[in-house]
Each structure stands twice: as structure tokens, then as C-alpha cells.
Amino acid sequence: MSVKVEQFPFPFTEDRYAYSNNSSLLKPARSITITDHYLKEIQLKRELLQANHKRCFRSLPISLESQWEAMRRIFAELAQSESEHFSLEKRGNEYRFQNHLLGEEERFTYRDSSSIELQPLDIAGRHVQEDLIIMGDRHDGLFLEAGQLCFPSNWSLTFVLGMEFKSIHTPVPGIDQNDFISKVERFISRIRLNEAWERKNWSMTISNMLDTPLETYANWGKLRLKVTDKNVGEMVHLRVEVQRLLRLPMTNDILFSIHTYLLSLNDLIQNDLWLKRLYTTIQFLSDDIAEYKGIALYKNELIQFLEKTLNEKGLSL
Amino acid sequence: MDDFYEVKVRKVEQLTADIKRYTFISERTELPSFGAGSHITLHLPMGNRQYSLINNPLDMENEYVIAVKKIGQQEGGSSYLHEKINEGDVVKVSPPHNYFPLRLEAKHHVFFAAGIGITPFLSMMAYLKSLGESFELHYAPSSEDDCPFYNEMNEMYPNQIIYYFMARDSKKKKLKETLKNLKVGAHIYTCGPQSFMDFIVDYCRELGYPKKYIHEERFKPAKVIENPQPFEVTIENKKKKVLVQEDQSLLDALHKAEIPLAFACRRGICGTCEVKVCNGEVLHNDAFLTDDEKRDKMLACVSRGIDHISIAVD
């Protein structure tokens, strides 16, 4: 579902596209953002979890400590940053989290698995719009050890569970040039306790579908063939992932949260600067990146649409 | 710059003739939580000093606990704490960092400590015990009279500690025996005087123990370039020269001269503003580059040249 224009995190700060570690430190450290779409997206998440639990939640036993830490951290963050909607009470090891937006509460005894019916990350994820991933910081690299993933952009949790950071990123074209991916991994390994870093990632989705996992590619991938010069503004959405990396202090693992935003091109072009930047970015996009981001099939229609709009508005670059 | 917290000394306990335990609390703010093996930095009049946290991270109730051995000269940080800091005093601390984390994937954890190097293992053992993970401690205190936490540790970990109260040669022999008999999948951690850590690490290498299974606590002094000096930079591939003022970073100076260079963190951890060093001496101040990379690279946000250097930017 598309988000309101005011809440859309437009990703392009320059006119050309290049890989970069465009991360910035967040103060205070946050993993979660609540938007106007909270209720709708939580409902969609719950439906997906109900219908396809194994596709949307996976974990390895080693992740359990980090899952507890992540859940408590997320609930504490919500209670602190959105205190009118959430609260967290603690008595010894007993916790009570209240979600006033949903009229729900979660009670648990910290680190006591008999006190909860789902795994901790699976509980926490049901209260936030973000997808949540635990990356274990091991002596031989960063490994994906648990995840609740409802809104992936063409990837599969089942496929990557237990994989090392570099292997997960092999499909990204040119990612091994200049040792780029090792540098990103090294950067993540240097993130300090309780620190959170944010970066934005983007791609394009046809329709306003948040749930585009690899497993259902057959259903949504073919929509890319249906883009015409007539419907491009309505069908094509810029998809932005606000990704945050937080070092969990106790287990020393990484909580990776992904908040996905969609905005239709018709809404996007209302902003002249965004229109110009999107146009130049798409124009200079290399073929392999266009292919990877799923744009290749309708790149011509897209460019023509943006050029036409620029002309109509009398904008020059 | 790091944030810091003002904490109050709630308790000071004399553990041995020259070791004291300090408990800090905050009445105003929630202190950040930490993991086993973490340390805090105390801001003292003689400079910053780092001390391992010794409390169990799982039981932490807004307090930091450290143990300090009084060492050496009168002006040192440990003497200052021992002589000047009392219950009720207020001390500035930076939030915890962890350069010595537990590797929770280990099948078994084996700790080698000497002297006051026991401190990081106190939080580690307490944490692992709560988790039900297996570990053992090999401890060589300075002497039997100078063995802090002796009773506490024996009570909490009755079957997991081996003491090395013996002469140097037999101590080394016994440590070697222990190292030879370690099982595959165990992670080794060592903390203590440099010579002790070198002995453990060198012998592990000799045995062919995998490097990534050996962990050392190396307290590097916090990296700060005192009195930054101006320096001159030739950018070889742009045929330009810039002067970096004492209160300016190389990154800022390049931007001011309209030489574009990508950057992100501005604190030497992300590696984005890396430049090639063609000539000259560099004061590296980052936490990103490997020693090998430092030979011909630097990070423009935090590192500085001496007098004159020449670089190349993409």
C-alpha cells in the first residue's frame, strides 16, 4: 500500500546511482517507525503470518537469546518513543507490554520460553510495521540466524536462513567490485553497543504490494509485462526500504529492521525535485542494475513517462 | 564524540591489599545495558581510563561495577581512584563498549587470566552460568594473598576454576598441558599482563589452534590525536594542493577546495572516505583499515598527515 507523500523517505540525494555505504548514525538509536498505515499493515502482516507462517518466520536455536533481547528492546523503544500508544511495565523479570492501538497486551517472563507461545522475534514483529532480522556476529562472519519477514522485495527467508552476509548478497550485480561487500561487513562489525545506523535501499514494484517474496514471484513478477505508457504512472511504485542496524548490547548480535514504503509514480511526480532526481537516476542506471531491480522490462515506458511529465511541467534538468 | 553519564559511587569495597571494587549508579538516567566482556571509560583528571565491567549483564539494575588494582605511580588513574574516590562522589563515564565479546557459538569457553586480568571473566562467567553454557577458568593470581574474588568465585563456580599458585616454570608447564588438551570447538580467551597473553597466544599458534578461536583483551588507549597540527596535502591526480588547518579534517579541507569525496560516518568506522596515500607519513586514527591497508590508505575524516603528504582521490 502506498504511503502518504509527506511520510515517504525519498532515497536519492544525488542525480546518479552508485553503490555506497550511505549510512548515517541515528541519535537516539531507533529501530522502529510508526506511520499512518500502522493498522492496515499490521493486519496484512498478521494475515500473511497466519497463512504462511514458515515462509514469514524462521529461526535457528542459537538466535534465541538475541530474540529475547530484541523483543524487550523493541517494546522498550515503543513505550519510550510512542508513549501515548504503547507501554511497558517491568516487575523483576516479569514484563507487561501494552499496545493501545491494537488493544492488545503481551505478558512474559524474560528468557522463560514457557511464558510465551511464539518465539520472541515472532511476537515483537506482530506489533511493528518493520520486518525484523537477527544477524549473529560470529567469529567467522555475520550470519542470518532469525527473521520475521512479511514484506520482502524478491527474496526468500527460507533460502537465506543460516547464510553468511557475503553469500546472501551474491545476487547483487557488481557487489564484489573493490571489495565493496567486505567493507560493508567490516563496517557492520564495528557498530558499537546500543548504536543504530540507517540507510535507504530502493527498487520498483508494480502495484502497491508490500508482500513480494521470491516464493510468489509467479504471481507478481508477470505484472512487469503489463506496464504500458498509459498505466505506468499508476502501476509503477518506487519502493524504499529504510534499513536500520542496531548492535544488541548483551548478545553482541545485530538487529536489522526493514521498513518498506511504496509511492506510486503519479504521487511522486507531484514533487519537482523528486521527479528530476528519479529521472536522472533511471537514465544513468546500468543494465545489470536495471535487471536486478526488475526495471529492465519496462524501462523505456518509464523513461518516456518521466520525460513527458518533465516537459509538461516545463522543467529542465 | 561519545555521550557520557554522571554516575555516583554507591559502594567502595577493599578486596585485597591493593584491589578495590567500585559500584556506580545513576539516579537520574537509565544506564545503557552491556554484554559480558564490555568495559566503560572513566573520565579522570589525568585522562580517560578503561575498566572491564564485572557484573552479570543479565542482572544489571542500572549499575556498573568495576574492580581496580592500584598500580605504579602516584599520578596514575588507579591511585587516583584508590585515594581520592569515595562513596557518594560523582564520576563521568562513557557508555560501555565491547572489544572482547563472548563467542556464543563456542562449544566450550576456556578463560586464561593472570592478576587483575580476571575482571572481564567475572561478567563472562556469571553470564554463561545464567545461560547454562559450559566454561572453565585458569587463573594465575599474583600471589595467594592477592587473589581477589577467591571465595566468591569458589562458591559460584566450584568445579570450573583451576588456580595456578606456583613457581613460574611449573606454571608454564601446567598451562601448556592444559592448552594441549583443549577440545575442538572450544574458544580461548585471555586477559592479563602482555607477557602472559603472549605466552598463551604464541603457544596456541604453535599448537596450530585456529586463530579465530583465540581472543585477547587488548586495552588500546582511546585514540585521540592530541594537539592536531596543520599539514599540507598534494592531490596528485588532481594537480592540486590544500592546507589542512589544525581544527579541520582532511575531508573538510578537500570539500572546501571543491574536491568531491564521498563520506558517511565521519568517525573512522565506515571506510567510505578512504583515499590512497602516495607519499608521506600518516597518523591513523580510524577503527576500519587493516594494518596492511594502512600502508597506502587513510580515512580522510579522522586521520591526519604529518607536515606534507600526497594522496590520490577517485
Side-chain angles (χ1 to χ4, degrees), chain B residues 263-279:
Chain B
F263 67 96
C265 77
R266 280 187 175 277
R267 47 196 285 202
I269 74 164
C270 78
T272 305
C273 65
E274 174 187 298
V275 298
K276 191 170 181 305
V277 179
C278 311
N279 225 325

Side-chain angles (χ1 to χ4, degrees), chain A residues 19-65:
Chain A
Y19 281 134
S20 65
N21 180 353
N22 50 353
S23 305
S24 56
L25 182 64
L26 284 179
K27 281 198 171 188
R30 293 263 163 85
S31 301
I32 306 300
T33 301
I34 305 287
T35 70
D36 292 351
H37 283 269
Y38 182 79
L39 293 175
K40 269 196 262 174
E41 289 182 10
I42 295 296
Q43 194 192 341
L44 174 61
K45 236 188 183 195
R46 303 262 179 116
E47 286 165 11
L48 289 163
L49 283 159
Q50 177 72 28
N52 314 283
H53 192 252
K54 275 195 164 168
R55 189 180 84 204
C56 301
F57 183 80
R58 291 267 173 172
S59 72
L60 298 178
I62 196 175
S63 69
L64 201 59
E65 283 300 321

Side-chain angles (χ1 to χ4, degrees), chain B residues 48-164:
Chain B
N48 293 345
R49 296 290 185 275
Q50 298 168 321
Y51 297 98
S52 295
L53 289 165
I54 64 172
N55 38 336
N56 183 347
L58 281 168
D59 298 338
M60 186 241 191
E61 291 280 355
N62 219 34
E63 84 280 14
Y64 292 145
V65 187
I66 61 169
V68 180
K69 180 174 181 165
K70 189 173 165 185
I71 311 168
Q73 73 278 47
Q74 220 53 38
E75 310 80 43
S78 62
S79 296
Y80 177 82
L81 282 166
H82 272 252
E83 282 155 25
K84 301 275 161 48
I85 294 298
N86 298 302
E87 287 175 12
D89 288 345
V90 171
V91 183
K92 261 196 220 171
V93 303
S94 298
H97 294 312
N98 199 349
Y99 303 144
F100 197 41
L102 280 169
R103 294 299 178 183
L104 291 173
E105 66 272 28
K107 300 271 181 258
H108 182 58
H109 304 263
V110 187
F111 304 128
F112 292 92
I116 194 65
I118 186 69
T119 51
F121 301 127
L122 294 169
S123 67
M124 289 183 175
M125 291 193 294
Y127 183 66
L128 290 175
K129 192 181 176 185
S130 303
L131 261 52
E133 296 288 331
S134 77
F135 63 89
E136 63 192 66
L137 167 70
H138 298 266
Y139 187 27
S142 320
S143 72
E144 238 161 304
D145 300 332
D146 195 19
C147 182
F149 311 104
Y150 185 76
N151 293 332
E152 282 174 48
M153 289 199 302
N154 287 339
E155 205 172 293
M156 283 178 74
Y157 320 110
N159 305 312
Q160 284 137 312
I161 307 178
I162 295 153
Y163 294 95
Y164 292 68

Side-chain angles (χ1 to χ4, degrees), chain A residues 20-25 27 62 65-66 69 72-73 76 80 90 92-93 110-111 137-141 145 178-179 182-184 186-188 190-195 197 249-253, chain B residues 1-3 30 32-36 38 57-58 61 96-99 101-105 127 130-132 187 212-213 215 262-265 267 269-272 274 287-290 293 297:
Chain A
S20 65
N21 180 353
N22 50 353
S23 305
S24 56
L25 182 64
K27 281 198 171 188
I62 196 175
E65 283 300 321
S66 307
E69 198 181 0
R72 186 169 66 175
R73 172 101 199 181
Q80 198 178 22
K90 174 182 192 279
N93 267 335
Y110 193 62
R111 298 185 60 252
D137 195 334
R138 306 284 155 243
H139 69 280
D140 47 356
E145 294 178 344
N178 299 322
D179 224 11
S182 320
K183 284 182 178 171
V184 175
R186 207 192 302 173
F187 162 69
I188 297 172
R190 303 286 198 275
I191 294 177
R192 303 199 289 198
L193 306 185
N194 297 299
E195 255 184 20
W197 291 77
M250 213 176 307
T251 50
N252 209 46
D253 290 335
Chain B
M1 268 321 276
D2 257 353
D3 301 327
E30 195 181 330
S33 54
F34 62 93
S38 300
L58 281 168
E61 291 280 355
H97 294 312
N98 199 349
Y99 303 144
L102 280 169
R103 294 299 178 183
L104 291 173
E105 66 272 28
Y127 183 66
S130 303
L131 261 52
H187 278 243
K212 288 187 169 176
Y213 283 65
H215 313 284
F263 67 96
C265 77
R267 47 196 285 202
I269 74 164
C270 78
T272 305
E274 174 187 298
F288 180 81
L289 297 175
T290 61
E293 288 171 326
K297 286 173 183 163

